[in-house]
Amino acid sequence: MSSTSLAERPARPRALAATRSLRLDEVSRTGVCVALVGATAIHGTVVTHHFQQWPPAGIFFLVLQVLEVSLAVAAVYAWGPRTAQAVVLTGFATVLVWLLSRTLGMPIGPATFQLPEPVGVPDLACCFLELGAAALAAPMALMRRPAQTRIARKTPTPTVSRWSLVLAALVGAIALVATGWGLGPAMSGSGHATHAHASVTR
């Protein structure tokens, strides 16, 4: 009797920690999913424009859209360290490409691509969404898979608390607001969607 209760004592803190971790995962997964879908929507407004300038650039944005949608679906149905790592890598890689195109210009492509582009509101909104998704995914990305597996086997799946639902809704709402902030100028014909590369002769 005493040995059983002694064995249960250290298990309770682990169970509580696992419960809190799983509830935070609900928040992270919601934010990651909405942020990636928002970034995909904004990227969709520039595909045609980049195809007209340079077809490989348009293909790049199409591939990026497919990747971000796939990661958004994986955040809901296949959430784990590998999915989170892919979200972090994709987010940072995309933002780095954007920074390069706005500061030094792209090292490949037509001459106009090798000049810095202007910064627009949709650009900033997209970077916010991608970095936000990466930040939300970072804790899971750094988690060790064996430890997560052991916790999942020893503890039942907890009921999602009202607090976690409210926080998930708040994170999702912020991502939606950022999406609308970026899509507004893009759909109205200003900013990211219709920006033109600087002329080589200027």
Side-chain angles (χ1 to χ4, degrees):
M1 186 75 174
S2 58
S3 61
T4 304
S5 55
L6 286 174
E8 289 177 352
R9 286 178 186 174
R12 289 178 181 176
R14 288 197 299 268
L16 290 174
T19 300
R20 285 193 293 267
S21 176
L22 288 172
R23 286 174 178 173
L24 288 176
D25 278 350
E26 291 289 333
V27 177
S28 299
R29 292 163 70 177
T30 301
V32 167
C33 182
V34 177
L36 288 176
V37 170
T40 301
I42 296 175
H43 284 144
T45 64
V46 304
V47 172
T48 302
H49 176 66
H50 281 84
F51 255 121
Q52 293 171 350
Q53 290 187 316
W54 190 41
I59 294 173
F60 168 79
F61 277 99
L62 282 177
V63 172
L64 182 59
Q65 282 186 286
V66 172
L67 178 59
E68 287 178 331
V69 168
S70 300
L71 289 175
V73 174
V76 177
Y77 296 104
W79 187 238
R82 290 183 179 178
T83 299
Q85 289 162 8
V87 171
V88 172
L89 289 174
T90 301
F92 278 107
T94 306
V95 171
L96 285 175
V97 171
W98 176 81
L99 283 173
L100 181 63
S101 69
R102 265 58 181 179
T103 54
L104 301 176
M106 297 301 295
I108 59 175
T112 52
F113 264 67
Q114 299 178 24
L115 294 173
E117 299 180 27
V119 176
V121 169
D123 303 339
L124 297 176
C126 217
C127 288
F128 174 82
L129 290 168
E130 288 163 342
L131 291 178
L136 289 170
M140 176 60 75
L142 298 174
M143 184 178 292
R144 293 182 180 180
R145 176 176 283 271
Q148 182 198 28
T149 303
R150 286 196 298 269
I151 291 174
R153 288 177 178 176
K154 290 184 178 181
T155 59
T157 302
T159 303
V160 179
S161 67
R162 183 180 301 176
W163 174 84
S164 63
L165 287 175
V166 170
L167 188 55
L170 178 61
V171 171
I174 292 173
L176 285 174
V177 169
T179 302
W181 179 53
L183 280 177
M187 298 302 291
S188 64
S190 61
H192 196 158
T194 59
H195 74 267
H197 285 270
S199 173
V200 181
T201 58
R202 75 173 184 180

